[in-house]
């Protein structure tokens, strides 16, 4: 970093992985007046990708480790009045650790940063609040809140290193696949949908067991959730969850527009219904004209669930 007497009042800290610039990085740099500290791996490639950098310090610090990075960068950042990070996942992870190491308040979710604080938004952007602080602080800037003008010329880049400090960081022990029974329907790749044609809550429960055995999540139409045969968060449609699975299997679903408009664009749609002319079967890639509860009972018996 520059000598203390020449240090800018603001600096953007941009965490990068393998030279990939995080969401909102250019905006954070622009909000800091073009002064950036780029830390991580592939920092020079990241600096070349950033459009708003006037002067930057490149710190190759290895794999992302917010605790270690915060402790190692604290001394270099202490002279800056305002430290701004992009509101990307890594930025939001690093910012509170930097604030703790520097002993400063953290102003998260800013849409504008001033020397005396920041304007932040709360309640999903419905409320704007001006936060004033005395002294230096750390802030995260929400991506997409300001424009960025490309800086003419070549940025002034210098290479530096962080202090090698030990700090405890979380480590991934094991990555488990999500449980289809509880996974968010909006992210489920395979969904079995229960319609009112299943007849009762027992048949819906059988469908949920069959779905789980086949690695699929259980969804339902509004008629099914209104009848309390399934939880409300399992409702698919314009008044429920909008999904976009690879496979959607509809059991006893007639295919009302309020339901089908929430299905996205599944690659494969299967409809099991006694009515060969219902909208759900008409839009399906495979239509099985059969009694849905009977089909589920047979599947449950074959799967042993």
């Amino acid at each position: 970093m520059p000598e203390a007497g020449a240090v800018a009042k603001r600096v953007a800290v941009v965490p990068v992985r393998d030279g990939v610039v995080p969401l909102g990085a250019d905006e954070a740099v622009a909000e800091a007046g073009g002064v950036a500290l780029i830390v991580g791996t592939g920092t020079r490639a990241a600096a070349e990708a950033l459009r708003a950098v006037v002067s930057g310090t490149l710190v190759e610090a290895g794999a992302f480790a917010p605790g270690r990075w915060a402790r190692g960068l604290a001394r270099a950042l202490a002279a800056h009045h305002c430290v701004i990070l992009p509101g990307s996942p890594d930025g939001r992870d690093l910012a509170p650790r930097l604030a703790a190491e520097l002993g400063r308040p953290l102003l998260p979710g800013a849409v504008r940063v001033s020397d005396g604080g920041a304007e932040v938004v709360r309640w999903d952007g419905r409320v704007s609040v001006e936060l004033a602080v005395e002294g230096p602080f750390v802030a995260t800037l929400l991506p997409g809140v300001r424009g960025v003008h490309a800086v003419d010329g070549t940025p002034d880049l210098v290479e530096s290193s962080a202090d090698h400090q030990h700090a405890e960081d979380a480590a991934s022990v094991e990555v488990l696949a999500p449980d289809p029974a509880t996974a968010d329907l909006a992210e489920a790749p395979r969904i079995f949908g229960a319609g009112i044609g299943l007849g009762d809550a027992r048949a819906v429960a059988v469908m949920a067991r069959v779905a789980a055995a086949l690695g699929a999540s259980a969804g339902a139409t509004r008629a099914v959730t209104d009848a309390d045969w399934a939880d409300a968060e399992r409702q698919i449609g314009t008044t429920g969850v909008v999904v976009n699975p690879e496979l959607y299997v509809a059991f006893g679903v007639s295919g009302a527009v309020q339901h089908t408009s929430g299905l996205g664009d599944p690659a494969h749609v299967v409809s099991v219904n006694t009515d060969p002319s219902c909208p759900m079967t008409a839009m399906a890639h495979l239509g099985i004209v059969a009694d849905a509860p009977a089909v589920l009972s047979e599947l449950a018996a074959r799967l042993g669930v």
Side-chain angles (χ1 to χ4, degrees):
M1 301 298 288
E3 294 299 323
V7 164
K9 296 184 69 174
R10 301 186 186 186
V11 63
V13 176
V14 181
V16 300
R17 302 187 189 220
D18 298 327
V20 178
V21 175
L23 184 67
D26 253 323
E27 293 169 288
V29 174
E31 195 75 357
V35 180
L37 187 154
I38 305 168
V39 57
T41 54
T43 55
R44 184 164 291 276
E48 293 172 354
L50 289 166
R51 298 174 294 153
V53 176
V54 176
S55 62
T57 300
L58 311 180
V59 180
E60 287 289 324
F64 183 68
R68 176 170 56 83
W69 287 11
R71 188 160 296 177
L73 296 173
R75 182 181 300 178
L77 295 171
H80 294 273
H81 177 80
C82 175
V83 177
I84 305 172
L85 292 94
S88 62
D90 284 350
R92 296 196 305 271
D93 205 1
L94 180 58
R97 290 168 170 81
L98 272 177
E101 289 292 334
L102 294 168
R104 300 181 179 186
L106 172 64
L107 309 183
V111 296
R112 180 178 57 84
V113 178
S114 67
D115 292 338
E119 179 185 353
V120 301
V121 293
R122 298 292 184 262
W123 296 99
D124 293 329
R126 295 192 294 270
V127 177
S128 176
V129 181
E130 290 281 353
L131 298 180
V133 297
E134 294 183 4
F137 61 94
V138 176
T140 60
L141 187 74
L142 290 177
V145 298
R146 59 159 295 161
V148 176
H149 295 288
V151 174
D152 294 330
T154 303
D156 180 18
L157 302 175
V158 296
E159 295 183 0
S160 184
S161 60
D163 293 338
H164 293 288
Q165 301 284 344
H166 174 74
E168 296 295 335
D169 272 299
S172 297
V173 176
E174 185 180 4
V175 178
L176 301 176
D179 181 358
T182 58
D184 186 345
L185 281 176
E187 300 176 358
R190 295 176 294 278
I191 298 176
F192 283 15
I196 199 70
L198 287 182
D200 56 34
R202 186 195 65 80
V204 175
V206 172
M207 189 206 74
R209 295 199 301 272
V210 170
L214 296 175
S217 298
T221 64
R222 180 171 180 173
V224 169
T225 59
D226 283 350
D228 289 331
W229 297 350
D231 294 334
E233 62 266 21
R234 298 284 104 184
Q235 180 183 323
I236 297 171
T238 54
T239 56
V241 180
V242 176
V243 300
N244 192 27
E246 297 172 5
L247 168 67
Y248 183 68
V249 184
F251 290 93
V253 177
S254 63
V257 67
Q258 293 87 346
H259 179 73
T260 57
S261 59
L263 289 179
D265 186 24
H268 306 284
V269 177
V270 178
S271 174
V272 183
N273 204 297
T274 55
D275 183 0
S277 302
C278 71
M280 192 75 248
T281 300
M283 70 173 286
H285 301 98
L286 172 63
I288 300 174
V289 181
D291 181 64
V295 171
L296 284 169
S297 296
E298 183 62 24
L299 283 173
R302 288 176 177 268
L303 293 168
V305 296

